[in-house]
Amino acid sequence: QNRSLAAEIPVFGTHIGKRLQLARARLAEGEENTEWGPVTQTKAAFHDERASLVLLREVWTGHPSARPALIQWLRRLADDGRPLVRTRAASTVAVLARTDLPSAMALVIEPWATSNRFRHRLVAVNSLTLAHHIGTPNVPRILDAWSEATEDRRLRWVAVRAYALIGPERPGQALTALRAAARELY
């Protein structure tokens, strides 16, 4: 929304039940694991669990003007101190990568992978790994290229960490990439 204009959708306009009905969602009580142990919370969930994936893909590909806000939100999630929140950000980006790999790489994953912050690079690792596990093509090719990256050790670090997670399904390629990365260190 443009802050200089009146809001088109009122912030406190509709009842929560009406909003859930329009979104085809429901409220449910559930336990959330926290650093203090399980906590019971009220959560909203779509009736059809595929709805969130379809909605995310539609926003990313059908409404490019929404991308800056979505990217900013994902960056805030990646900065969060809670590992569960960062993992959710990574899984969201994995879905975006499955939908549009070039844009997700350029706008989200690569900036995280080249960040000086450890937690950003770790979210990049998790994003690539989860993207690979949901069938995103070319993730191993990206990791191969990054494991040989001599100009940026951060990319090599991300590749090595990602290979640790997907290596068991590609042991030969993972070992070759790890050897190449180790050779670069000496």
Side-chain angles (χ1 to χ4, degrees):
Q1 291 270 352
N2 185 340
R3 293 179 189 178
S4 63
L5 301 176
E8 293 176 25
I9 301 171
V11 178
F12 299 106
T14 58
H15 183 269
I16 190 167
K18 180 67 173 170
R19 285 181 284 172
L20 289 168
Q21 180 184 9
L22 289 171
R24 294 183 175 95
R26 68 186 181 292
L27 284 180
E29 294 282 321
E31 285 198 351
E32 184 78 26
N33 289 321
T34 69
E35 56 197 69
W36 307 282
V39 175
T40 302
Q41 292 189 321
T42 303
K43 301 177 180 186
F46 289 107
H47 292 297
D48 184 346
E49 61 187 40
R50 297 171 297 179
S52 60
L53 300 175
V54 171
L55 180 62
L56 182 60
R57 288 178 185 134
E58 175 61 24
V59 168
W60 188 254
T61 59
H63 303 280
S65 61
R67 284 185 182 185
L70 183 57
I71 292 166
Q72 183 181 11
W73 173 68
L74 289 167
R75 287 182 179 155
R76 282 197 313 266
L77 293 178
D79 276 329
D80 197 285
R82 296 167 292 181
L84 180 63
V85 173
R86 293 192 309 269
T87 302
R88 287 180 177 161
S91 66
T92 301
V93 172
V95 170
L96 297 177
R98 178 76 171 103
T99 302
D100 180 8
L101 182 62
S103 295
M105 287 296 295
L107 298 172
V108 186
I109 297 173
E110 285 181 16
W112 283 342
T114 57
S115 172
N116 288 325
R117 298 200 66 192
F118 169 77
R119 71 174 49 153
H120 291 175
R121 291 193 311 269
L122 203 51
V123 176
V125 167
N126 291 335
S127 296
L128 286 169
T129 303
L130 291 168
H132 177 71
H133 286 300
I134 63 172
T136 304
N138 300 321
V139 171
R141 185 180 299 172
I142 292 165
L143 297 178
D144 288 344
W146 284 7
S147 68
E148 298 170 2
T150 56
E151 70 282 352
D152 196 336
R153 289 181 145 182
R154 296 169 297 190
L155 291 177
R156 202 168 41 230
W157 185 92
V158 168
V160 168
R161 292 291 294 238
Y163 270 125
L165 297 173
I166 69 167
E169 72 181 54
R170 303 179 69 237
Q173 294 91 335
L175 190 55
T176 300
L178 293 173
R179 282 185 183 140
R183 269 192 278 268
E184 291 295 324
L185 295 175
Y186 298 104

